[in-house]
Amino acid sequence: MRSIRDLTLSGRKLLLRADFNVPLEAGRVSDATRIEATLPTIRHAIESGARVICASHLGKPKGKRKPELSLAPVAVELARLLGKPARFADDCVGPEIEKLAERLTPGEVLLLENLRFHAGEEANDLEFARRFAALGDVYVNDAFGAAHRAHASVAAAAGLFAEKGAGLLLEKEVRELSRLLDPEHPFAAIFGGAKISGKIDTLRALSRRADILLIGGGLANHFVRALGLPVGRSLLEEDKVPLAREILDFCKREGKIIALPSDFVVAKSPDDAAGAKTVGIAKIPADAMALDVGQKTLEQFERLLEPAKTILWNGPMGVFEKPPFDRGTKALALLLAESDAVTVVGGGESVAAVREAGVAEKFTHVSTGGGASLEFLSGASLPGIEALS
Ligand code: ADP
Ligand code: MG
């Protein structure tokens, strides 16, 4: 895989697939983190004299033009962050857009409209990919967060370019996450959160490589069930319980450390802050939900993490959006921030929690790709990365 740094860009039309899938509020970008993450790549392109054509998806318009999912607000924000104009094209393919691209002068930036306004994008349609690819001379993918999807702008289109490479963000993600494919041991993986499908498969794959597994968040309920204990009205995907059982058995057989929370903070619902109380792992009441890990668990996790040389964290320990159920997640963020180990955090909400705690800079790597980083860490090859090789 080549880097954007290895490509000749001067005077050429650079088609740059970025991840500008940002939250919008009242027609404005409400969180520009993803735009900021790709600025180094765009600045490099500008300084190299490229004519920069940026493309991204936003939300799920399902092949239809949805005004509320237009990338127009992103062009405004991009221009503000770059401190120079960013033009906006109201489509991402077609003769009119080709003309706009052709007229760009070196260092100028054009942002295309939402790729997913065309059904061909998600279908990885070759004809759509051809029309999209016609816009550029050189192709760069910086959208690590979309690299696990075989969509036209990351897969089929990339295949049509002779000259292509990875943007600085994608390159960094691959470099940092690759360290976890061959980690310095002891390697600890901490998993939590609420997206059980997908996550638990990654956990299974990682259990082969990790020495220490710590389970919290909604994911932990599945392991509690696997032990035959009650979870009350807690989040549970019943069909994932056998997989939790399998992971427990595997770790036992292989002599790996796998720790479940020894205590939980429970309540009637996430809005029932007043009713919050701490109970042991076997004591989740029938009418309650486990919403955070307890203090004993945090102390136990801290002890178990002490020898770790590499630590991966994915998924909050509790419903951290609703105090007091944010304590476990915050405490873990602060604990990892102080660790001397290589520390990597991935997953949309986990990263948000780490930022909220104000300790993102203290981690070795904060991954911008949720699903993509999980798939990468499972050892799968990602279509968007394959297509660059
Ligand atoms: P990430 O985005 O970090 O990969 P997920 O998307 O899997 O994490 O899950 C994040 C969500 O998990 C958070 O919104 C949080 O409220 C929720 N969560 C964490 N613990 C629990 C729990 N015990 N019960 C229900 N939801 C939980
Ligand atoms: Mg999430």
Side-chain angles (χ1 to χ4, degrees):
M1 186 171 77
R2 294 169 81 190
S3 159
I4 185 172
R5 281 184 286 238
D6 309 326
L7 301 172
T8 308
L9 299 176
S10 182
R12 305 177 78 193
K13 286 180 292 177
L14 167 65
L15 189 53
L16 175 64
R17 174 55 158 105
D19 180 2
F20 292 151
N21 185 27
V22 292
L24 300 176
E25 263 165 43
R28 285 162 159 258
V29 175
S30 57
D31 178 354
T33 308
R34 287 202 171 130
I35 306 177
E36 284 161 9
T38 212
L39 284 180
T41 302
I42 300 177
R43 291 210 177 99
H44 172 87
I46 292 171
E47 282 157 22
S48 307
R51 298 144 72 197
V52 189
I53 305 152
C54 301
S56 176
H57 72 281
L58 176 66
K60 295 180 173 158
K62 302 254 154 105
K64 293 207 178 69
R65 198 169 255 281
K66 293 229 170 106
E68 68 277 17
L69 292 177
S70 169
L71 277 158
V74 173
V76 174
E77 185 63 18
L78 183 60
R80 194 183 69 78
L81 290 168
L82 285 172
K84 64 178 279 160
R87 309 181 55 160
F88 183 67
D90 68 359
D91 204 347
C92 59
V93 288
E96 287 307 311
I97 312 303
E98 283 168 35
K99 267 185 231 155
L100 283 179
E102 198 51 56
R103 276 189 228 122
L104 288 171
T105 59
E108 270 194 323
V109 177
L110 174 69
L111 175 64
L112 307 179
E113 183 55 289
N114 197 340
L115 290 158
R116 289 191 186 167
F117 283 180
H118 292 263
E121 166 65 357
E122 291 193 71
N124 201 20
D125 177 69
L126 188 57
E127 191 44 42
F128 174 73
R130 281 207 184 95
R131 296 171 70 205
F132 175 63
L135 294 170
D137 308 315
V138 200
Y139 172 88
V140 164
N141 188 355
D142 208 25
F144 180 73
H148 60 314
R149 308 259 186 241
H151 293 171
S153 64
V154 296
L160 298 171
F161 284 88
E163 285 181 77
K164 57 193 167 190
L168 301 175
L169 171 65
L170 188 136
E171 191 182 32
K172 180 164 168 240
E173 288 280 4
V174 170
R175 185 177 62 237
E176 293 297 329
L177 295 177
S178 293
R179 289 164 74 164
L180 302 193
L181 294 178
D182 184 16
E184 196 180 337
H185 293 274
F187 173 29
I190 312 166
F191 269 59
K195 256 189 216 162
I196 310 306
S197 328
K199 202 159 274 206
I200 195 161
D201 297 302
T202 306
L203 184 63
R204 175 164 56 175
L206 271 167
S207 66
R208 277 41 186 181
R209 238 178 294 138
D211 310 292
I212 304 162
L213 295 176
L214 308 182
I215 319 289
L219 186 65
N221 308 333
H222 301 74
F223 290 81
V224 174
R225 275 306 294 148
L227 294 176
L229 298 170
V231 298
R233 293 172 40 247
S234 303
L235 177 122
L236 190 73
E237 291 183 26
E238 194 71 58
D239 61 326
K240 298 297 175 200
V241 174
L243 201 46
R245 179 77 251 168
E246 188 200 312
I247 295 170
L248 282 171
D249 290 343
F250 174 81
C251 289
K252 197 165 161 206
R253 230 176 23 247
E254 299 288 316
K256 293 174 188 279
I257 296 169
I258 180 162
L260 309 184
S262 49
D263 57 352
F264 289 102
V265 180
V266 302
K268 295 270 188 302
S269 84
D271 296 311
D272 178 25
K277 60 175 184 181
T278 304
V279 300
I281 181 174
K283 296 272 173 10
I284 300 175
D287 62 345
M289 298 173 151
L291 296 168
D292 196 11
V293 299
Q295 186 59 35
K296 275 213 192 91
T297 300
L298 289 167
E299 285 161 19
Q300 172 202 15
F301 282 11
E302 180 169 7
R303 246 186 348 264
L304 291 170
L305 288 172
E306 212 127 283
K309 289 271 192 324
T310 311
I311 305 174
L312 166 69
W313 178 23
N314 178 285
M317 293 294 100
V319 182
F320 73 100
E321 298 92 341
K322 306 250 175 184
F325 310 111
D326 58 340
R327 286 204 192 128
T329 304
K330 286 219 173 108
L332 187 62
L334 297 177
L335 179 68
L336 296 193
E338 292 309 315
S339 169
D340 294 326
V342 169
T343 47
V344 177
V345 58
E349 271 86 18
S350 321
V351 169
V354 164
R355 286 192 205 284
E356 255 169 58
V359 292
E361 319 72 48
K362 299 215 170 151
F363 281 71
T364 310
H365 182 59
V366 176
S367 179
T368 52
S373 57
L374 285 177
E375 285 200 27
F376 188 91
L377 291 169
S378 302
S381 79
L382 311 187
I385 292 171
E386 282 291 291
L388 293 178
S389 313

